[in-house]
Amino acid sequence: MKPFTANVITVLKKVPAGKVMSYGQVARVAGSPKGARQVVRVLHSMSQKYDLPWHRIVNREGQIVLQDEEAAQKQRALLEQEDVSVNSLGRVNMSEYQYQPDFHVLDDDAFL
């Protein structure tokens, strides 16, 4: 596994219930500011294997962007179970729910 992929997994696992992060934010914290698409790839291919909280990741505007309607509804339901309010357009208020990790929280062996 490449270091960035391991870092993404570590960041994703640290997003607490009731909070969200954007794809780009995860990429920046994991060490690749332009790696948002790679975060999508990790979520798509590794969420089940690593038990990642995939539902806590939205786009930078807080929008649920899954194309599959069933998956988008599942993401909405999982967020709402964690008391994250999702509006009728499938958007989360980022100023209220965005997780802002401090980099000390993320200091562990997975980060270089």
Side-chain angles (χ1 to χ4, degrees):
M1 180 180 304
K2 295 189 178 198
F4 176 69
T5 300
N7 291 351
V8 167
I9 290 169
T10 299
V11 171
L12 292 169
K13 286 184 168 245
K14 291 182 182 281
V15 181
K19 294 292 183 180
V20 297
M21 289 181 78
S22 72
Y23 299 98
Q25 181 187 12
V26 170
R28 281 190 305 279
V29 173
S32 181
K34 296 184 180 192
R37 288 186 183 194
Q38 290 174 292
V39 172
V40 172
R41 178 190 54 79
V42 170
L43 284 166
H44 178 74
S45 63
M46 299 182 174
S47 285
Q48 189 170 11
K49 180 177 181 179
Y50 291 97
D51 194 28
L52 301 176
W54 61 271
H55 63 284
R56 296 180 188 145
I57 311 304
V58 294
N59 76 6
R60 67 180 172 205
E61 286 97 29
Q63 186 78 35
I64 293 173
V65 293
L66 296 174
Q67 298 299 313
D68 180 296
E69 186 62 33
E70 187 176 325
Q73 289 301 324
K74 183 175 183 178
Q75 183 174 11
R76 172 191 285 271
L78 289 169
L79 288 170
E80 289 174 343
Q81 286 175 10
E82 295 180 354
D83 295 323
V84 174
S85 180
V86 182
N87 74 16
S88 62
L89 300 174
R91 187 166 288 175
V92 171
N93 181 338
M94 293 298 275
S95 64
E96 183 175 352
Y97 296 105
Q98 187 172 23
Y99 179 52
Q100 299 288 350
D102 64 26
F103 287 88
H104 301 290
V105 171
L106 301 175
D107 287 340
D108 64 28
D109 294 340
F111 286 84
L112 305 175

